[in-house]
């Protein structure tokens, strides 16, 4: 049976609200949660970008059962992998084993802030592979020394380690990243309902492992208002990962999506309150073989109405899929 998740979208709400919302998501019956890790919002209209790891620490204390997941953290430029390993181990302890470490090769939007440039996709994959090697070594305990192509680690050790380290997910968008994920990851992460991603992952060592997808939705009793909000805040979503990962800031996303029409957004993002429309647009993830699907309710000010509606209408319908 597919598990249904709730997204703490750090780009559209402040830290206290994010924690309050995931508490409510746990109460209404979501099976897990995921959290974005951004330094910038995609568009100025989203308006937020608190530090995800502080939010996750607070969420670990405020909730009791819902799993927490980074979706995703980039352990290569803005964060050194040794620091990511320490953060992840600490969060696994705080959450009493409920944390999953989702990793990816990152986006220029967030990583450019440290002034180290933005590598090519091939180099980013090399960096991610080396970072995962470091993180797993530190999860194993003891002192770690590493002198690689991209990173150095000098006699590092994690002094507070959980009995079970958090499983590692890797975000994919094509064959190269699927091969990497199949070899190195415990979990597949993707934002497109493509069966070929699942197939490539499984053929490269990912058989039988969880596969987490994600889709934005925009609940509102007024469908026109929902479409307008989705267009205002999420019209970038359909640009494709190869484009999204390269753009450096919200102004770039605004320019790149200036010709996207509201009807274009409504064709791929379920908007309004028709449960049938929602399930029909979410179903492709199920058909593609994803075991977990996280929903992103668009609009920071519209989380509580969505969660109430999801409890009564949406989650029961999704569980029938």
């Amino acid at each position: 049976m597919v598990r249904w998740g709730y997204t703490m979208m750090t780009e559209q709400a402040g830290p206290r609200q994010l924690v309050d919302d995931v508490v409510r998501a746990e109460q209404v019956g979501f099976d897990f949660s995921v959290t974005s890790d951004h330094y910038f919002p995609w568009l100025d209209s989203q308006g937020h970008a608190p530090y995800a790891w502080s939010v996750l620490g607070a969420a670990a204390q405020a909730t009791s059962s819902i799993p927490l997941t980074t979706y995703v953290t980039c352990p290569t430029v803005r964060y050194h992998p040794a620091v990511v390993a320490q953060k992840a181990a600490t969060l696994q302890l705080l959450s009493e084993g409920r944390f999953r470490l989702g990793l990816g090769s990152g986006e220029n939007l967030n990583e450019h802030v440290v002034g180290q440039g933005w590598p090519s996709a091939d180099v980013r994959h090399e960096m991610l592979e080396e970072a995962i090697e470091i993180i797993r070594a530190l999860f194993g305990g003891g002192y770690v020394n590493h002198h690689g192509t991209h990173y150095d680690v000098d006699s590092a050790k994690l002094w507070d380690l959980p009995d079970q380290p958090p499983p590692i997910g890797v975000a994919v968008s094509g064959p190269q990243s699927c091969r990497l994920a199949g070899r190195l990851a415990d979990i597949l992460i993707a934002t497109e309902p493509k069966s070929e991603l699942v197939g490539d992952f499984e053929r490269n060592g990912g058989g039988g492992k969880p596969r987490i997808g994600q889709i934005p939705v925009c609940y509102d009793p007024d469908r026109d208002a929902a479409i307008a909000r989705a267009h205002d805040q999420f019209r970038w979503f359909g640009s494709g990962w190869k484009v999204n990962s390269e753009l450096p800031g919200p102004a770039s996303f605004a320019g790149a999506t200036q010709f996207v029409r509201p009807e274009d957004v409504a064709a791929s993002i379920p908007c309004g309150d028709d449960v049938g429309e929602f399930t029909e647009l979410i179903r492709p993830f199920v058909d593609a073989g994803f075991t977990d699907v996280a929903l992103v309710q668009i609009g920071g000010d519209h989380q509580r109405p969505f969660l109430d509606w999801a409890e009564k209408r949406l989650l029961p319908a999704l569980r029938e899929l």
Side-chain angles (χ1 to χ4, degrees):
M1 184 176 291
V2 175
R3 289 159 33 98
W4 301 100
Y6 173 76
T7 299
M8 287 190 281
M9 192 76 174
T10 60
E11 300 94 292
Q12 64 179 13
R16 294 183 65 88
Q17 182 189 327
L18 290 164
V19 174
D20 289 344
D21 289 340
V22 76
V23 168
R24 181 60 181 147
E26 180 179 70
Q27 292 170 347
V28 306
F30 277 94
D31 300 312
F32 67 98
S33 68
V34 303
T35 307
S36 56
D37 184 359
H38 273 231
Y39 205 92
F40 275 86
W42 303 97
L43 294 168
D44 287 345
S45 56
Q46 291 180 315
H48 293 274
Y51 184 52
W53 290 86
S54 297
V55 173
L56 284 164
Q61 295 300 287
T63 58
S64 60
S65 61
I66 192 168
L68 306 168
T69 313
T70 49
Y71 205 95
V72 294
T73 283
C74 176
T76 59
V77 180
R78 185 167 41 120
Y79 304 140
H80 190 283
V83 177
V84 173
Q86 183 188 34
K87 294 190 290 190
T90 299
L91 193 55
Q92 182 75 323
L93 289 167
L94 285 171
S95 65
E96 298 183 298
R98 291 184 282 133
F99 179 59
R100 299 182 291 188
L101 176 61
L103 301 175
S105 57
E107 309 98 31
N108 194 13
L109 175 70
N110 305 302
E111 307 307 314
H112 78 272
V113 298
V114 294
Q116 294 185 14
W118 186 233
S120 68
D122 286 345
V123 173
R124 297 200 300 268
H125 286 142
E126 288 179 7
M127 296 172 73
L128 179 59
E129 182 167 354
E130 189 174 338
I132 293 171
E133 178 185 346
I134 293 167
I135 291 167
R136 287 208 185 273
L138 286 164
F139 283 170
Y143 285 92
V144 172
N145 288 280
H146 175 94
H147 301 289
T149 303
H150 301 286
Y151 303 104
D152 289 305
V153 179
D154 184 8
S155 193
K157 175 183 176 179
L158 299 181
W159 288 88
D160 290 276
L161 271 174
D163 293 335
Q164 293 293 326
I168 293 176
V170 170
V172 304
S173 59
Q176 185 178 17
S177 53
C178 284
R179 288 193 296 271
L180 188 154
R183 286 189 294 108
L184 301 177
D186 305 306
I187 303 166
L188 172 77
I189 290 173
T191 57
E192 297 177 287
K194 294 181 176 179
S195 59
E196 56 265 36
L197 297 176
V198 173
D200 284 345
F201 176 66
E202 291 183 332
R203 281 189 293 273
N204 287 279
K209 297 177 181 178
R211 303 171 292 277
I212 310 176
Q214 185 185 56
I215 180 173
V217 303
C218 197
Y219 164 76
D220 197 297
D222 183 337
R223 189 170 190 271
D224 290 338
I227 293 172
R229 188 166 71 250
H231 180 261
D232 178 51
Q233 297 188 23
F234 253 78
R235 63 185 181 273
W236 54 270
F237 192 79
S239 299
W241 203 250
K242 292 184 184 299
V243 174
N244 289 346
S245 64
E246 303 297 336
L247 299 178
S252 300
F253 280 89
T257 58
Q258 61 182 311
F259 298 116
V260 176
R261 302 168 302 170
E263 55 264 38
D264 299 327
V265 172
S268 59
I269 297 176
C271 296
D273 63 355
D274 183 340
V275 171
E277 178 184 344
F278 275 64
T279 56
E280 197 60 31
L281 288 175
I282 293 168
R283 182 187 294 275
F285 281 95
V286 179
D287 294 340
F290 285 83
T291 60
D292 301 58
V293 181
L295 310 181
V296 186
Q297 163 65 1
I298 298 172
D301 296 336
H302 296 79
Q303 300 302 302
R304 284 311 176 94
F306 164 73
L307 289 165
D308 292 343
W309 177 73
E311 179 181 24
K312 297 179 177 66
R313 300 286 311 283
L314 183 59
L315 284 175
L318 290 176
R319 298 199 196 287
E320 292 297 319
L321 291 178

